[in-house]
């Protein structure tokens, strides 16, 4: 297996309606480029995996625990294990990068579609 | 401590000459936006931390183990624990995102300068 993969060659998986992830997994890490449709909402949820991320393009309102903020390109987030979080994309949608440790083993059960042209880059 | 930090507010740390990192750390993860000067070279090294990454802008030649490739925006890498790797930025430099697990505790020892305007976004 190559060490290198372009996001356009990764099979997209729908996490929630309007949230499309292209992910790579390892022993300790999952890294995903996530495309979010305009106005799409991620319902509040939580998981054992620690989660960090950063906005690449567009905007979204993100809530972590009791803190809510509108995020723009270059804003990072840090979500400790089991802390509830939710999000809602802005009017132009968003492209974000999410990383997890331990890896998101639960994503293996999600359907994967054929690779298709990503919104970014 | 807020869950949210913009990359412009993170204190830059020089990893190697020409490699400037702005990082956040957690219990399991480190996420860093790394600016690389045109032509700058990262000497071959290795570490116990698993490392994933993705090119945000610019280009670089990246070597992982015996595999070498020129990377463009949207290309990801996966570096297993202890696998030697090295890199050399292209003529316009590069901005990349690197993530590690376990966190890069060794970066705490690096000098940090005052926040300054990042090259991206």
């Amino acid at each position: 297996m190559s060490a290198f993969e372009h996001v356009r060659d990764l099979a997209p998986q729908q996490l929630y309606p309007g949230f499309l992830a292209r992910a790579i997994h390892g022993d300790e890490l999952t890294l995903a480029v996530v495309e979010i449709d305009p106005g799409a909402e991620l319902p509040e949820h939580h998981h054992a995996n620690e989660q960090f991320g950063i906005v690449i393009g567009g905007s979204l309102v993100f809530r972590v625990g009791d803190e809510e903020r509108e995020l723009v390109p270059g804003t990072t987030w840090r979500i400790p294990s089991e802390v509830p979080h939710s999000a809602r994309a802005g009017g132009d949608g968003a492209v974000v990068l999410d990383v997890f440790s331990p890896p998101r083993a639960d994503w293996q059960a999600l359907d994967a579609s054929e690779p298709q042209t990503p919104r970014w880059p």
Side-chain angles (χ1 to χ4, degrees), chain A:
Chain A
M1 188 170 67
S2 172
F4 306 109
E5 288 188 275
H6 196 277
V7 65
R8 69 173 160 256
D9 298 321
L10 300 174
Q13 295 178 291
Q14 184 179 274
L15 305 178
Y16 292 89
F19 287 75
L20 199 66
R22 294 169 169 85
I24 56 175
H25 304 278
D27 293 328
E28 306 289 340
L29 289 165
T30 288
L31 180 154
V33 178
V34 182
E35 293 181 358
I36 314 175
D37 289 343
E41 297 204 25
L42 180 73
E44 183 177 283
H45 66 292
H46 57 93
H47 40 67
N49 324 67
E50 186 174 53
Q51 177 179 354
F52 283 10
I54 187 168
V55 182
I56 303 295
S59 69
L60 67 167
V61 174
F62 210 119
R63 186 175 184 87
V64 176
D66 292 331
E67 191 181 4
E68 183 173 285
R69 201 185 298 186
E70 180 166 1
L71 310 187
V72 296
T75 314
T76 65
W77 52 91
R78 238 184 313 217
I79 308 171
S81 175
E82 300 297 1
V83 171
H85 51 288
S86 58
R88 188 180 67 252
D92 293 327
V95 176
V96 307
L97 204 132
D98 274 307
V99 297
F100 304 89
S101 184
R104 291 299 301 257
D106 54 317
W107 287 10
Q108 309 285 355
L110 297 174
D111 288 337
S113 52
E114 290 299 307
Q116 53 186 260
T117 304
R119 207 178 300 170
W120 175 86

